[in-house]
Every structure is written in C-alpha cells, then in structure tokens.
C-alpha cells in the first residue's frame, strides 16, 4: 500500500512539474531584438502583456544573424529587428522557415557624412561605406542611385552589389562593411549608408544629419518574426496586438518626431 501511495505521489508531482513547464512555455514570450528602437518598443509593452498573463523577456542582439538562428532553433519565440526583404533572403540562403506575423515600422536608410554637408559635395573618388549583408547592400546602392550618384543595371535590385554599377560619374569607391560597425567608421570615410537601428544609438538623426534619406513609402517594413507554425499561437497574437497598439504608435511619433522611425500600422 505504501509503495502504491508513493507511486501515485510521484506521478502527481511529475504531472505538476510537467504542467508548470507547459504553463511557462505558454505564458513566457522570449523575443530577440536589436537595442533601438526594437528593444525599447518591446519593453514599452511588457506591463501591458503582464496584465494579460504573459511575461515578456527581451534579449538584445547586436548583429543580424544570431537572432534568426535563435528563432529557427527554437531558443527564442520571436525576433524583432529585420525587414521583410532581409528575412526572405535569409530563408533562401539558409533554408530557414522564418515568417512575419506583424509589420511594425520602417527606419529610413540614409547617407551620412562627417566631412560634407550635402550629397552634391561628395568629391570625385570619394569613399562610401555600405552594409555588406545581401539585402541592405542592394538597398544602399538603390538609395545612392536615387540620389543620382550611380546607375545600376536594370536587373539589379535588392541583391545589387558594386559590380552591378553601370555608371559612376564621381568614381566613388565602396567599402563593404558589417552594418553594425558603420557608425564607427563614419569618420574614416567620406560618407556611409547606415541603417536606422544603428544610426540612432550613434546619435545620428536621418532628418537632421542625413545627406539623402529614403522615402517614407519604403517597402522595408520591420516585422515581428517567428518560425513557421508558431505564428498563430495565443502568446504571439498577444505580442502582435500589444506592439501594434496606439500606445506604441504614439511613442514612435513622440520619440522619433523627425521621421527616423515611422509606424506602418
């Protein structure tokens, strides 16, 4: 009788522990994000999610690769740092299964310089630093084309690289550099094309400091991303609703009043 009682007690404890783990998995939302504005926006809604019974854990990353690897492997539930073209490119390159479950904002790409005050002042032979990841490099070159500095092959698009340049009237030289390090090399080059989430922490304001800025109609929407199959879970639906709220829209408008970040919902 004692052995039977002991058996059922152990079974009940195991069931309770398993239930706790399942409850934790259902109520804890772990999201990877780059610091600004992504992590800042997520932390803004942590209390709102807590009221709905969810615990939000934000893990900050400073690169564009690790947070996608962590989502694909299941280490984290979601991430918030990238635009759709980058996510699609990553899936194609790595064979991953990443999907967007909410579009949040755009961060206009801009050309910055410590040496020149306008785009026309860039001299012949100027060195321009650009992101070296596939979609952002193409995006940077398309921006320089829009500024009238270069021309690209007709077929060149998001995957454009310097070898796709067909006209370079100022004989610009390009340094292909990891996006996160671009603000640090700005003083060493004539100009650099920098993503908003790296420009902001470096004190760069696209509207005030940018020599040429991407338009607000940009297709590069920053999204909440997860692994395919998880996007319909209750906790990720709750996360999407919290981030796509008037509170976040007001925060973006007040914090980034010069258009450095623009809400799209």
């Amino acid at each position: 009788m004692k052995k039977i009682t002991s058996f059922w007690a152990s079974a009940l404890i195991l069931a309770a522990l398993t239930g706790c783990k399942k409850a934790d998995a259902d109520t804890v939302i772990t999201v990877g994000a780059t610091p600004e504005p992504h992590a800042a926006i997520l932390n803004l809604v942590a209390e709102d999610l807590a009221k709905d019974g969810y615990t939000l854990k934000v893990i900050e990353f400073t690169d564009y690769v690790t947070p996608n690897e962590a989502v694909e492997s299941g280490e984290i539930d979601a991430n918030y740092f990238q635009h759709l073209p980058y996510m699609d490119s990553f899936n194609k390159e790595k064979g991953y299964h990443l999907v967007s479950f909410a579009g949040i904002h755009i961060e206009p790409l801009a050309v910055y310089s410590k040496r020149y005050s306008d785009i026309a002042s860039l001299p012949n032979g100027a060195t321009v630093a650009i992101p070296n990841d596939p979609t952002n490099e193409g995006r940077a070159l398309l921006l320089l084309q829009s500024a009238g500095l270069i021309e690209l092959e007709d077929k060149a698009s998001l995957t454009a690289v310097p070898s796709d340049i067909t006209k370079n009237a100022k004989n610009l030289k390009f340094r292909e550099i990891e996006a996160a390090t671009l603000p640090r090399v700005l003083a060493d080059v004539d100009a650099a094309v920098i993503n908003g989430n790296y420009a902001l922490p470096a004190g760069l304001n696209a509207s005030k400091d940018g020599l040429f800025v991407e338009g607000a109609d940009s297709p590069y929407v920053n999204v909440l991303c997860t692994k395919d199959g998880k996007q319909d879970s209750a906790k990720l639906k709750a996360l999407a609703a919290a981030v796509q709220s008037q509170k976040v829209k007001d925060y973006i408008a007040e914090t980034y009043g010069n258009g450095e970040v623009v809400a799209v919902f």
Side-chain angles (χ1 to χ4, degrees):
M1 183 67 182
K2 287 182 179 179
K3 288 183 179 180
I4 295 175
T5 302
S6 177
F7 169 79
W8 284 111
S10 298
L12 289 171
I13 291 171
L14 178 61
L17 289 173
T18 303
C20 286
K21 288 179 181 178
K22 185 176 186 302
D24 287 345
D26 290 340
T27 61
V28 176
I29 311 172
T30 306
V31 187
T34 44
E36 189 177 0
H38 306 84
I41 289 172
L42 289 170
N43 287 321
L44 182 72
V45 302
E47 289 186 5
D48 301 310
L49 285 166
K51 292 176 183 176
D52 293 330
Y54 297 101
T55 299
L56 178 63
K57 293 184 178 179
V58 180
I59 301 173
E60 292 192 7
F61 293 90
T62 56
D63 71 282
Y64 287 169
V65 176
T66 312
N68 274 345
E69 292 176 340
V71 166
E72 180 71 17
S73 68
E75 292 177 47
I76 59 177
D77 296 305
N79 65 43
Y80 177 34
F81 76 95
Q82 65 192 319
H83 52 60
L84 283 169
Y86 182 78
M87 185 191 76
D88 292 340
S89 173
F90 209 96
N91 278 335
K92 184 176 181 180
E93 179 184 350
K94 301 285 189 179
Y96 280 10
H97 310 84
L98 308 173
V99 294
S100 161
F101 63 98
I104 309 302
H105 74 273
I106 63 165
E107 299 165 23
L109 197 69
V111 182
Y112 297 92
S113 177
K114 294 288 188 181
R115 302 175 182 178
Y116 304 99
S117 58
D118 61 83
I119 200 80
S121 297
L122 287 178
N124 188 64
T127 298
V128 181
I130 58 177
N132 68 357
D133 58 279
T135 53
N136 282 306
E137 182 168 38
R139 181 183 181 189
L141 292 172
L142 288 170
L143 180 66
L144 293 172
Q145 178 174 251
S146 296
L149 294 174
I150 60 172
E151 290 183 13
L152 297 164
E153 288 185 10
D154 290 340
K155 66 179 180 63
S157 58
L158 302 182
T159 57
V161 294
S163 61
D164 292 316
I165 296 172
T166 56
K167 186 176 180 180
N168 184 359
K170 289 194 172 186
N171 298 307
L172 300 178
K173 297 179 178 64
F174 297 95
R175 287 182 59 186
E176 299 163 276
I177 295 173
E178 185 180 355
T181 66
L182 284 166
R184 296 199 292 274
V185 304
L186 182 57
D188 301 322
V189 295
D190 295 297
V193 183
I194 304 177
N195 296 71
N197 61 315
Y198 291 127
L200 290 172
L204 297 170
N205 181 307
S207 296
K208 294 179 180 179
D209 306 313
L211 304 190
F212 193 82
V213 185
E214 194 175 41
D217 59 347
S218 167
Y220 296 87
V221 177
N222 279 225
V223 299
L224 288 172
C225 162
T226 190
K227 188 172 183 178
D228 194 17
K230 296 183 177 181
Q231 62 268 39
D232 293 324
S233 66
K235 67 179 183 180
L236 292 189
K237 286 185 176 181
L239 175 64
V243 178
Q244 288 182 324
S245 64
Q246 189 63 44
K247 178 180 181 179
V248 169
K249 184 176 285 189
D250 291 344
Y251 170 81
I252 290 174
E254 293 168 7
T255 307
Y256 308 107
N258 292 310
E260 309 98 312
V261 178
V262 180
V264 298
F265 54 88

